[in-house]
Amino acid sequence: KADQADVTDLELFQLEVQENGTVFLKNSKSQYWAILQDGTVSTEKDPSPFTIEWLGNRVKLVASNGKYVYTKPSGALIAGGDGSEETAPFTFTIINRPQLILRGQYGFLGIKGNS
């Protein structure tokens, strides 16, 4: 549900960027956002890919069904919009974590000493 006032572990997501530029969103319980047949965004074992449209510190998420994710008044996330919905943009925040792990096409990035 997207109607929470406070940030807890349930509101934190890891973005897993795929080679084709789409992302999987993984929650703190190691489940992924997935699109159900009716467009509802749920958490499942198998992920659905999303495309991110960057709008400064806000983003719009386009689901694998080609629809924008937006928040219903009940707090439910639905992939059924055209992007014009008032609740389609989400604030994107990078939180302070003790580690930053970067992975490129050929593996993880690291610092090498002088050769």
Side-chain angles (χ1 to χ4, degrees), residues 5 8 12 17 21 25-26 36 53 61 71 82-83 89 95 100 102 106 108-109 112:
T8 68
L12 301 177
V17 181
L25 288 102
K26 185 177 182 181
L36 305 181
E53 289 186 4
L61 300 171
T71 308
D82 63 9
I95 59 172
L100 174 63
L102 300 174
Y106 301 108
F108 293 98
L109 301 179
K112 234 180 165 178

Side-chain angles (χ1 to χ4, degrees), residues 8 21 36 42 50 60-62 65 68 70 80 82 89-90 94 101 105 109 113 115:
T8 68
L36 305 181
S42 181
F50 293 84
K60 288 186 180 181
L61 300 171
V62 183
N65 65 0
Y68 286 82
Y70 69 95
D82 63 9
F90 298 92
I94 297 176
I101 301 170
Q105 179 178 359
L109 301 179
S115 308

Side-chain angles (χ1 to χ4, degrees), residues 1-85:
K1 287 179 63 173
D3 61 354
Q4 308 303 309
D6 298 317
V7 176
T8 68
D9 282 347
L10 298 176
E11 289 78 36
L12 301 177
F13 303 98
Q14 176 178 313
L15 295 178
E16 295 184 355
V17 181
Q18 305 304 299
E19 287 184 17
N20 63 3
T22 62
V23 297
F24 295 149
L25 288 102
K26 185 177 182 181
N27 69 13
S28 62
K29 296 182 179 183
S30 295
Q31 291 186 314
Y32 293 92
W33 282 24
I35 306 302
L36 305 181
Q37 284 186 329
D38 65 356
T40 301
V41 178
S42 181
T43 54
E44 305 286 334
K45 183 179 135 186
D46 296 319
S48 295
F50 293 84
T51 301
I52 297 178
E53 289 186 4
W54 297 95
L55 309 166
N57 71 332
R58 296 179 61 97
V59 296
K60 288 186 180 181
L61 300 171
V62 183
S64 56
N65 65 0
K67 303 289 185 176
Y68 286 82
V69 176
Y70 69 95
T71 308
K72 292 178 71 170
S74 66
L77 293 174
I78 300 294
D82 63 9
S84 66
E85 294 78 17

